[in-house]
Amino acid sequence: FVFLAAFSGMTAVARQPLGIILADADLRRAFASAMAETAALGRAKGVELSGDVSERLMSFAGGLPAEMKSSMLHDLEKGKRLEAAWLSGAVSRMSRELGLAAPVNSTLYAALKPYAGG
């Protein structure tokens, strides 16, 4: 979920495949921050996650095909409904409920909300 929420939100908002996200310093930093926010939320909810989970997932992402797109980006491109509320939106909502900051996930969700219904 740490990877999926960030991958889905970032590729959909940027409307770019993973390779573009990772190659651009600003997008890469936002992607890493989105994962760190989700990991912090998981830990606050009692999920045992290693302290380096975001770094390990960034390494994992670097091994994936550069042209890889999330299913949410595919759905967005086809005008279909988006699962944003259950990914970045869930991270945003649950973080807010626990008093945690999740600015990247909140921004990803806010940017995708207008397209959520297809």
Side-chain angles (χ1 to χ4, degrees):
F1 187 75
V2 171
F3 175 79
L4 179 62
F7 173 63
S8 295
M10 288 298 302
T11 59
V13 165
R15 289 167 175 74
Q16 296 294 324
L18 182 60
I20 300 294
I21 304 294
L22 297 178
D24 180 87
D26 294 321
L27 292 172
R28 182 182 182 90
R29 192 169 27 260
F31 181 57
S33 294
M35 287 195 291
E37 291 172 6
T38 306
L41 171 64
R43 287 185 197 100
K45 290 270 202 183
V47 178
E48 290 187 32
L49 295 169
S50 66
D52 67 343
V53 67
S54 296
E55 292 81 10
R56 287 188 301 110
L57 288 171
M58 284 298 287
S59 179
F60 166 75
L64 294 172
E67 65 277 3
M68 188 171 172
K69 295 180 178 181
S70 67
S71 62
M72 189 155 57
L73 176 52
H74 286 288
D75 290 343
L76 180 63
E77 291 172 336
K78 294 175 183 173
K80 294 183 175 181
R81 292 177 55 91
L82 305 181
E83 64 270 13
W86 298 278
L87 295 168
S88 296
V91 175
S92 176
R93 178 183 46 79
M94 288 188 283
S95 294
R96 188 174 50 254
E97 289 169 356
L98 293 176
L100 300 174
V104 176
N105 280 285
S106 296
T107 300
L108 292 173
Y109 181 52
L112 292 168
K113 272 179 27 177
Y115 307 97

